[in-house]
């Protein structure tokens, strides 16, 4: 694409001859210049603060993960509203009394909703420093443990508030984005064969050049295809090896051949950017089907639901529904919810009518009419006893149960996809139960019915053996859909949504999906300047629809708002940018906007932001009379129309791509300027600080965890415990060599051997008791584990007397602490204690304290931002790999085992020089 404006994709709607979107413009759709001027006078441009940066006060919400639906999740996106092209102006619509003439926000929603995609979240975050610790333990924060300014590209002498610094940094990043977009377009014009993902299109001549690979420059070869130096044949070392080493050389060559063969067997699909572009996803597909939940086991005769204090008998179908509620009495959040209670009771009474109702002990009919008279405690007690019984099983018994379960499910865990073994994500059919939903879902408490084989459609290869359904049943349908990546599907009864069995997150197919997602964001790099230039110009467009669209794109780009879709009446009232209503937006002159609404998953989104003066003026126009609560801000805009407009810039561009692009591009710029040094713990803080900036700038927030303060107290106690160990170690040094006191105090200061001020006497006694109790628990746990092993091996258990003898060690520790408190002296521990050994132990304790302080500060900074969300879903995982390799930090510090499998393609495909 050329860098000139003439060659860029069509960005704005043609308005020639008074036409927009192919329809004649109405007078009410045109914003008069007088309205703009009036708004300008009423709202002069802001002279302080910077637009496009959130002030972030008040409640925060945790973002979620945009992922494909699998078993347990609805497949669908909610139906979008009808095309804006056929819609009337707001004023015209509001003047009509009939249903068709009402504003869209007030019309009856007839579209059926779909459940949202499931949320995968993985947070490796550790506890933080609490206010209580800050107040009680000033020493805890005495050391400068935050990431250095140079590490994240800030000036060291800057005293500007975080909001101002981030606003300036965001503006700088957007300027660099514009420059980079122009550079990419220029480079593509000069090198037309270069593909969007940075690789070079293969040439037909390459076949005859296979033997000349080593002679060519690696500059234009994809990184994953570069020939590793260690495997080059015919090196000087080999040619100069004496004959007496011939056998060793042959063994080495054999080993290298085996390594090369293993590497060939590994499917490095990310090296082929065209893989998966077509509609055909597989050629051959074999799998074993799905695993059904166990059949319902009726309750014992002495366990029954109570009605008005008396036990009642029901048919198994109704008893099972009552059991769903009874089993979860400890989940007060649900069972005390009036909507949950009503929906459950409606379904229970409906089933009672279908199955003949309930009877008392004498067989007399019992008319169950009131939920308040129902008693579920006997059912809860029964299921709770079963849970406790299972929990009390020995480790050997638990292992055996797991082994039996794994053996039974082994055939379903993997499938053969194009003759490659791939792990299946979730092959288990959901068991029946009560639907909970997210937030204030109107259907919470409804019964999720048992899924029968006749409801399930199997997708499999034509030549493969169709898995057998349970005896006496049959499948709904057998399909050979090579364009689908699902193995089985069915429709659930709550929202009539389809559920799918898909491949696991670490499979090739899912990996390709992630790869394409981030490559799509990389492609947006070369169009972002045009998009921002166009929507900035359209903020003043005279056509209302265009101005609303430009304002929405601005909010989505600058504040990471979701686009939002219309929902049916039976869905939770959650909104996004395009579906914002009058009451969700509050304007504070001169340029502040407060958003307050239920976002995805019914999590409250509250944010106060500073916006461009023109955006503020537009929002005031969009909220002007006769609009009131319940009316839509963007009444001339739909999500589908917005995405259709964005697709004019590049194929497949939708509103949600901006979230991925902004997060990844911001992180890449921060990493380019980063100079991380110090220990691994310090480098992790630097990474998390950059990630935190991304989360703030891209609005990836979360609520502060309910247990945050208690977690911080525990972490503070652990740090104080290490400081207490340091004091004891120093006292041991004095016990070994009293003369060392003068020497150390001269080198380290007069207070070297003194007890830290924050280690109060009361706390020390409590900590000593904790250490003694901890020692007891360790001994008891070890004793129990050894006995279980003896029993499993057919041996005889140790007697309780052995445990009592072992526990004497804990008693000795208690006596030692008591003596230390009385004398103020600490005897040296271990064999052959020396001052040098004590100093070595002190150094280790210092490192542990320092690491915990870094961890504490890091977690305190990140308590209101969703680092896991940014890192897993929006920041290109290859950037995390770049940091890991560039600063020599193990990738395990950032990605758990599950994530390392999920992002295996990212870990293996880039080096430290890769750029987003």
């Amino acid at each position: 694409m050329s860098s000139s404006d003439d060659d860029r994709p069509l960005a704005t709607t043609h308005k020639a001859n008074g036409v927009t979107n192919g329809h004649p413009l109405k007078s009410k759709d045109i914003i008069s210049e007088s309205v703009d001027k009036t708004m300008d006078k009423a709202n002069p441009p802001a002279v302080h603060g910077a637009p496009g940066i959130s002030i972030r006060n008040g409640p925060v919400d945790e973002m979620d993960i945009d992922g494909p639906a699998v078993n347990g999740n609805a497949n669908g996106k909610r139906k979008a509203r009808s095309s804006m092209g056929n819609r009337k102006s707001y004023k015209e619509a509001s003047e009509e009394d009939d249903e068709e003439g009402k504003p869209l926000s007030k019309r009856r929603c007839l579209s059926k909703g779909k459940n949202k995609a499931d949320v995968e979240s993985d947070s490796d975050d550790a506890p933080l420093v609490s206010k209580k610790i800050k107040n009680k333990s000033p020493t805890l924060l005495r050391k400068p443990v935050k990431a250095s300014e140079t590490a994240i590209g800030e000036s060291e002498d800057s005293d500007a508030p975080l909001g101002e610094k981030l606003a300036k940094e965001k503006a700088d990043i957007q300027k660099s984005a514009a420059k980079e977009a122009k550079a990419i377009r220029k480079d593509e014009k000069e090198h037309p064969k270069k593909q969007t993902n940075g690789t070079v299109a293969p040439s037909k001549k390459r076949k005859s050049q296979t033997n000349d690979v080593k002679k060519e420059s690696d500059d234009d070869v994809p990184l994953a295809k570069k020939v590793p130096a260690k495997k080059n044949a015919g090196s000087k070392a080999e040619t100069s090896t004496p004959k007496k080493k011939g056998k060793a050389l042959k063994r080495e060559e054999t080993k290298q051949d085996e390594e090369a063969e293993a590497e060939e067997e590994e499917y490095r699909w990310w090296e082929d950017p065209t893989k998966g572009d077509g509609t055909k996803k597989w050629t051959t597909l074999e799998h074993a089907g799905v695993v059904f939940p166990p059949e319902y086991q009726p309750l014992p005769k002495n366990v029954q639901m109570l009605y008005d204090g008396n036990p009642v008998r029901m048919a198994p179908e109704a008893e099972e529904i009552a059991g769903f509620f009874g089993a979860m009495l400890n989940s007060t959040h649900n069972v005390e919810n009036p909507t949950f209670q009503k929906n459950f009771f409606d379904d229970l009474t409906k089933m009672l009518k279908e199955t003949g109702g309930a009877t008392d002990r004498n067989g007399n009919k019992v008319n169950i009419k009131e939920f308040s008279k129902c008693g579920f405690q006997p059912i809860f007690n029964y299921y709770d006893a079963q849970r406790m019984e299972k929990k009390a099983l020995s480790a050997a018994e638990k292992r055996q149960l797991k082994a039996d379960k794994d053996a039974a499910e082994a055939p379903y865990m993997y499938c053969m996809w194009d003759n490659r073994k791939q792990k299946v994500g979730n092959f288990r059919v959901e068991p029946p139960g009560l639907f909970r939903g997210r937030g204030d879902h109107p259907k919470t408490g409804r019964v999720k019915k048992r899924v029968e084989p006749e409801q399930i459609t199997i997708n499999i290869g034509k030549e493969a053996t169709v898995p057998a359904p349970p005896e006496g049943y049959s499948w709904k349908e057998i399909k050979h859909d090579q364009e689908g990546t699902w193995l089985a599907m069915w429709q659930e009864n709550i929202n009539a949504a389809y559920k799918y069995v898909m491949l696991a997150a670490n499979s090739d197919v899912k990996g390709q999906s992630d790869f394409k997602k981030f490559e799509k964001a990389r492609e947006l790099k070369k169009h972002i300047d045009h998009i921002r230039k166009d929507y900035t110009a359209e903020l003043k467009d005279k056509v209302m629809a265009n101005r609303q669209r430009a304002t929405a794109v601005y909010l989505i780009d600058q504040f990471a708002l979701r686009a939002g879709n219309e929902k049916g009446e039976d869905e939770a009232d959650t909104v996004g940018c395009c579906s914002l209503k009058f009451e969700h937006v509050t304007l504070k002159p001169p340029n502040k906007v407060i958003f307050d609404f239920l976002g995805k998953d019914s999590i409250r989104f509250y944010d106060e932001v500073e916006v461009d003066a023109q955006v503020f003026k537009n929002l005031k126009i969009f909220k002007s009379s006769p609009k009131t609560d319940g009316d839509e801000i963007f009444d001339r805009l739909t999500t589908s129309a917005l995405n259709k407009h964005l697709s004019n810039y590049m194929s497949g561009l939708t509103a949600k791509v901006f979230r991925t692009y902004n997060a990844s591009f911001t992180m890449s710029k921060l990493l380019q300027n980063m100079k991380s040094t110090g220990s691994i713990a310090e480098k992790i803080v630097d990474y998390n600080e950059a990630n935190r900036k991304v989360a703030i700038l891209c609005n990836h927030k979360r609520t502060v965890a309910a247990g945050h303060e208690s977690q911080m107290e525990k972490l503070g106690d652990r740090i104080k415990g290490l400081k207490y160990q340091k004091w004891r170690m120093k006292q041991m040094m004095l016990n070994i060599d009293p003369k060392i006191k003068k020497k150390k105090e001269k080198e380290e200061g007069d207070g070297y051997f003194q007890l830290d001020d924050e280690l109060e006497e009361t706390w020390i006694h409590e900590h000593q008791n904790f250490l003694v109790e901890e020692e007891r628990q360790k001994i008891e746990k070890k004793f129990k584990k050894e006995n279980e092993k003896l029993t499993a091996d057919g041996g005889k258990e140790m007697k309780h007397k052995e445990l009592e003898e072992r526990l004497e060690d804990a008693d000795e520790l208690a006596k030692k602490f008591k003596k230390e408190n009385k004398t103020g002296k600490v005897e040296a521990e271990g064999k052959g204690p020396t001052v040098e050994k004590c100093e070595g132990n002190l150094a280790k304790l210092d490192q542990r304290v320092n690491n915990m302080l870094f961890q504490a500060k890091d977690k305190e900074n990140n308590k209101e931002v969703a680092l896991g969300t940014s890192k897993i879903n929006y920041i290109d995982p290859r950037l995390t790999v770049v940091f890991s390799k560039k600063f020599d930090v193990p990738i395990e510090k950032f990605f758990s085992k599950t994530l390392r499998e999920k992002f295996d393609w990212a870990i293996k495909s880039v080096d430290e020089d890769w750029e987003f």
Side-chain angles (χ1 to χ4, degrees):
M1 178 181 294
S2 171
S3 60
S4 68
D5 289 344
D6 295 334
D7 292 333
R8 71 177 187 267
L10 179 62
T12 56
T13 306
H14 293 289
K15 298 185 286 293
N17 302 320
V19 175
T20 178
N21 293 338
H23 300 278
L25 288 176
K26 299 179 181 178
S27 59
K28 303 298 187 296
D29 288 326
I30 306 296
I31 301 179
S32 67
E33 294 182 10
S34 61
V35 174
D36 275 343
K37 290 178 181 177
T38 303
M39 290 298 176
D40 281 332
K41 290 179 181 178
N43 304 288
V47 293
H48 62 280
I53 183 67
S54 169
I55 295 176
R56 302 200 199 291
N57 54 358
V60 292
D61 70 308
E62 183 168 6
M63 310 301 284
D64 48 21
I65 295 169
D66 297 325
V70 292
N71 181 7
N73 312 307
N75 66 324
K77 300 171 182 175
R78 292 186 172 88
K79 292 183 179 179
R81 290 169 280 167
S82 58
S83 171
M84 70 178 186
N86 297 322
R87 299 176 63 185
K88 301 179 181 181
S89 68
Y90 181 80
K91 189 172 182 181
E92 287 176 326
S94 64
E95 290 172 350
E96 298 181 19
D97 296 326
D98 60 347
E99 180 68 17
E100 188 176 352
K102 289 182 182 179
L104 190 58
S105 59
K106 292 188 175 181
R107 296 179 194 171
R108 286 182 291 108
C109 297
L110 302 177
S111 60
K112 291 183 180 180
K114 304 290 183 185
N115 263 356
K116 298 178 182 181
D118 193 25
V119 179
E120 179 187 347
S121 181
D122 187 329
S123 178
D124 300 325
D125 300 346
L128 323 163
V129 177
S130 67
K131 294 178 182 177
K132 187 170 182 180
I133 295 177
K134 285 182 182 177
N135 297 334
K136 285 191 174 183
S137 311
T139 312
L140 182 63
L141 301 178
R142 192 171 292 163
K143 295 185 179 182
V145 295
K146 69 176 184 177
S148 64
E149 289 85 349
T150 53
I152 54 178
E154 294 182 4
S155 59
E156 297 182 15
D157 57 347
S158 173
D159 293 325
L162 177 63
E164 290 182 18
K165 287 194 286 188
L166 289 181
K168 182 180 182 301
E169 193 156 359
K170 186 171 185 177
D172 292 340
I173 288 173
Q174 291 191 355
K175 286 180 183 178
S176 67
K179 291 180 181 178
E180 192 163 325
K182 292 176 182 177
I184 292 172
R185 291 196 297 270
K186 181 180 178 182
D187 186 53
E188 285 190 351
K189 189 175 182 180
E190 295 174 354
H191 304 87
K193 288 188 178 181
K194 187 168 286 189
Q195 299 171 355
T196 56
N197 65 350
T199 62
V200 177
S203 170
K204 293 181 180 179
K205 296 180 180 180
R206 298 290 293 177
K207 280 188 177 181
S208 61
Q209 296 172 354
T210 307
N211 297 329
D212 299 323
V213 170
K214 286 182 285 185
K215 297 179 182 179
E216 296 178 358
S217 169
D218 273 350
D219 293 343
D220 293 328
V221 181
L223 176 66
K225 293 188 176 182
K226 292 182 182 179
V227 182
K230 66 179 181 180
K231 293 183 181 181
N232 285 352
S235 65
K236 292 181 181 179
E238 291 178 1
T239 55
S240 60
T241 304
K243 290 183 180 180
K244 63 181 179 180
K245 294 184 179 180
K247 291 184 179 180
L249 179 59
K250 282 187 177 181
R251 284 196 297 269
E252 181 64 25
E253 288 175 343
T254 303
K255 184 180 178 181
Q256 289 182 358
D257 290 341
E258 289 174 354
E259 289 177 355
E261 188 176 335
E263 187 173 293
E264 285 178 9
E265 289 178 0
E266 182 184 42
Y267 181 36
R268 301 173 72 87
W269 51 261
W270 56 87
E271 294 180 0
D272 182 4
T274 63
K275 180 67 178 176
D277 287 345
T279 56
K280 187 176 178 180
K281 303 298 188 301
W282 51 267
T283 303
T284 61
L285 175 61
E286 300 176 51
H287 60 87
V290 294
V291 173
F292 289 92
E295 292 296 324
Y296 174 66
Q297 299 297 321
L299 296 169
K301 292 184 178 180
N302 62 327
V303 179
Q304 295 174 340
M305 187 187 87
L306 305 178
Y307 188 73
D308 207 10
N310 300 311
V312 294
R313 295 176 181 173
M314 298 177 280
E317 294 84 358
E319 182 186 83
E320 183 179 21
I321 294 175
F324 294 153
F325 192 94
M328 58 187 299
L329 284 187
N330 55 347
S331 178
T332 56
H333 173 73
N334 292 294
V335 298
E336 293 179 2
N337 181 347
T339 305
F340 190 92
Q341 293 175 355
K342 179 183 180 303
N343 288 335
F344 155 73
F345 193 63
D346 286 348
D347 284 353
L348 174 63
T349 53
K350 183 179 178 182
M351 181 57 70
L352 285 169
K353 288 179 182 178
E354 293 177 2
T355 55
T359 59
D360 60 14
R361 294 175 180 173
N362 301 319
N364 300 318
K365 289 278 186 179
V366 177
N367 194 5
I368 297 178
K369 291 183 176 180
E370 299 179 36
F371 172 80
S372 58
K373 292 184 178 181
C374 295
F376 302 93
Q377 196 62 43
I379 298 176
F380 173 78
N381 293 340
Y382 172 75
Y383 284 121
D384 191 51
Q386 283 193 326
R387 284 191 289 262
M388 297 305 293
E389 185 179 335
K390 188 174 181 180
K391 193 175 180 181
L393 292 174
S394 66
E397 290 172 315
K398 289 178 181 177
R399 282 196 299 270
Q400 185 59 48
L401 285 175
K402 186 177 184 306
D404 294 341
K405 183 186 176 200
D406 290 346
E409 294 182 346
Y412 305 88
M413 293 179 68
Y414 294 90
C415 72
M416 293 301 293
W417 183 290
D418 285 346
N419 297 318
R420 297 188 61 81
K421 191 176 182 181
Q422 301 283 352
K423 192 171 184 181
V424 180
N426 192 357
F427 46 81
R428 302 177 188 89
V429 175
E430 277 188 312
L434 299 183
F435 176 71
R436 304 191 186 190
R438 298 184 184 277
D440 299 325
H441 201 289
K443 289 191 175 182
T444 183
R446 290 287 180 195
V447 174
K448 292 190 295 182
K449 296 180 181 178
R450 185 178 295 274
V451 178
E452 302 293 349
E454 282 81 4
Q455 298 171 249
I456 295 178
T457 299
I458 298 293
N459 190 29
I460 199 165
K462 288 183 180 180
E463 307 301 324
T465 302
V466 177
E471 190 173 349
Y473 294 90
S474 60
W475 301 119
K476 177 182 179 180
E477 190 178 359
I478 305 299
K479 285 195 173 185
H480 312 291
D481 179 12
Q482 293 178 295
E483 297 181 9
T485 58
W486 54 279
L487 309 183
M489 74 172 187
W490 62 91
Q491 194 172 19
E492 52 85 31
N493 66 291
I494 299 293
N495 296 302
Y498 286 95
K499 304 283 181 87
Y500 294 88
V501 173
M502 311 283 281
L503 297 188
N506 61 344
S507 65
D508 298 341
V509 173
K510 285 299 181 68
Q512 289 170 24
S513 176
D514 284 339
F515 176 75
K516 290 176 186 176
K517 168 185 170 181
F518 292 111
E519 285 301 310
K520 182 69 69 178
R522 290 183 75 198
E523 187 182 352
L524 179 55
K525 285 197 306 178
K526 65 180 178 183
H527 304 291
I528 192 66
D529 59 332
H530 283 163
I531 295 173
R532 286 172 176 163
K533 181 181 178 182
D534 289 343
Y535 76 60
T536 301
E538 283 192 331
L539 290 174
K540 297 182 179 181
D541 201 295
K542 291 183 180 180
V543 180
M544 173 71 87
N546 293 348
R547 190 179 287 209
Q548 285 195 0
R549 185 181 64 203
T551 305
V553 177
Y554 171 91
L555 296 176
I556 289 168
D557 181 29
Q558 299 295 329
F559 302 108
L561 295 187
R562 285 185 170 81
N565 288 308
E566 185 185 20
K567 289 159 288 297
E569 292 178 350
D570 57 354
E571 293 184 274
D573 187 23
T574 60
V575 298
C577 183
C578 294
S579 52
L580 285 171
K581 291 185 171 60
F582 185 92
E583 63 272 20
H584 297 147
V585 177
T586 303
L587 305 177
K588 289 175 61 177
N591 70 332
K592 289 184 180 178
V593 180
I594 299 174
F595 295 104
D596 191 355
F597 57 88
L598 287 182
K600 190 173 180 180
D601 297 332
S602 296
I603 296 175
R604 184 187 181 192
F605 180 98
Y606 182 97
D607 209 2
E608 181 175 335
V609 300
E610 293 184 9
V611 300
D612 181 88
Q614 184 62 41
V615 172
F616 185 88
K617 180 171 67 174
N618 287 352
L619 289 172
K620 189 158 188 176
I621 293 173
F622 304 158
K623 277 174 63 74
S624 60
S625 179
K627 287 188 183 179
T628 184
D629 286 359
D631 295 330
E632 292 178 345
I633 298 289
F634 299 102
D635 56 293
R636 287 167 176 76
L637 182 66
T638 64
T639 304
S640 58
L642 177 64
N643 286 334
K644 185 177 180 181
H645 165 72
L646 292 174
S647 67
N648 289 328
Y649 291 96
M650 68 179 237
S651 176
L653 178 60
T654 62
K656 69 179 183 179
V657 178
F658 283 89
R659 302 167 66 82
T660 309
Y661 162 77
N662 281 320
S664 296
F665 188 79
T666 300
M667 188 66 167
S668 69
K669 289 303 172 187
L670 295 176
L671 291 184
Q672 284 176 14
N673 299 326
M674 187 177 290
K675 298 178 179 64
S676 187
T677 58
S679 65
I680 288 179
E682 292 173 280
K683 292 176 181 178
I684 291 173
V685 170
D686 289 344
Y687 173 87
N688 285 343
E689 184 67 14
N691 192 353
R692 184 169 74 94
K693 281 192 172 187
V694 172
I696 292 173
L697 290 172
C698 299
N699 208 19
H700 302 155
K701 303 184 298 180
R702 67 176 178 190
T703 53
V704 180
H708 171 66
E709 292 294 328
S710 62
Q711 287 178 341
M712 296 319 309
E713 281 193 55
K714 290 178 182 178
L715 182 57
D717 283 340
R718 287 172 63 194
I719 294 173
K720 289 168 72 174
L722 290 173
K723 291 182 177 180
Y724 176 65
Q725 287 186 45
K726 285 177 60 179
W727 177 80
R728 291 187 75 242
M729 193 62 63
K730 291 175 182 178
Q731 300 306 306
M732 291 179 194
M733 291 168 62
L734 286 178
N735 183 271
I736 296 169
D737 184 7
K739 297 178 181 179
I740 201 174
K741 183 175 182 180
K742 288 184 178 180
K743 179 184 176 184
K744 280 292 181 184
E745 287 183 344
K746 186 177 180 181
E747 294 174 354
E748 306 289 346
D750 294 339
Y752 183 74
F753 290 97
Q754 291 180 7
L755 191 65
D756 201 299
D757 292 339
E758 66 178 317
L759 302 180
E760 301 170 353
E761 185 177 353
T762 304
W763 182 89
I764 290 176
H765 290 162
E766 290 177 356
H767 183 64
Q768 289 173 342
N769 293 334
F770 166 78
L771 293 176
V772 172
E773 183 59 30
E774 186 180 48
E775 183 66 19
R776 288 182 182 278
Q777 291 177 3
K778 284 181 181 177
I779 293 170
E780 290 175 350
K781 189 175 180 180
K782 186 177 180 182
F783 178 80
K784 183 180 178 181
K785 194 171 182 180
E786 288 178 0
N787 261 347
E788 287 177 352
K789 191 174 185 304
L790 286 170
T791 305
D793 294 341
K796 190 176 180 181
E797 286 189 359
M798 294 179 287
K799 295 182 180 179
H800 188 70
K801 186 177 180 182
E802 172 69 21
L803 175 60
E804 291 178 348
E805 291 176 359
R806 294 187 184 187
L807 288 173
E808 290 177 3
D809 290 344
D811 296 334
E812 288 297 322
L813 181 62
K815 291 177 183 178
K816 182 186 289 187
F817 284 143
K818 189 174 182 181
K819 183 178 179 182
E820 289 176 6
N821 296 338
K822 186 176 181 180
T823 63
K825 295 181 180 180
V826 181
E827 294 181 2
E829 298 172 348
K831 295 182 180 179
T834 63
V835 171
E836 288 74 18
K837 286 183 180 180
C838 290
E839 287 178 334
N841 291 333
L842 268 177
K844 293 177 183 178
L845 289 171
D846 275 331
Q847 185 61 47
R848 289 178 64 189
V849 169
N850 195 42
N851 288 346
M852 282 193 184
L853 285 170
F854 270 101
Q855 182 190 57
K857 182 66 176 180
D858 186 32
K859 295 308 177 180
E860 179 66 18
N861 288 340
N862 299 325
K863 65 181 179 182
E864 292 183 354
V865 292
L867 293 190
T869 300
S870 296
K871 181 175 67 176
I872 299 168
N873 301 290
Y874 297 114
I875 294 175
D876 193 313
R878 290 170 288 191
L879 290 170
T880 302
V881 176
V882 167
F883 180 92
S884 171
K885 293 183 176 181
K886 185 176 182 179
F887 299 111
D888 198 24
V889 180
I891 194 65
E892 291 81 5
K893 298 294 182 181
F894 305 113
F895 291 153
S896 63
K897 183 176 183 294
T898 302
L899 287 179
R900 291 197 300 276
E901 292 176 350
K902 176 181 174 67
F903 295 137
D904 183 62
W905 61 271
I907 295 170
K908 292 179 177 178
S909 63
V910 299
D911 64 5
E912 64 182 63
D913 297 321
W914 182 85
E915 293 185 5
F916 174 76

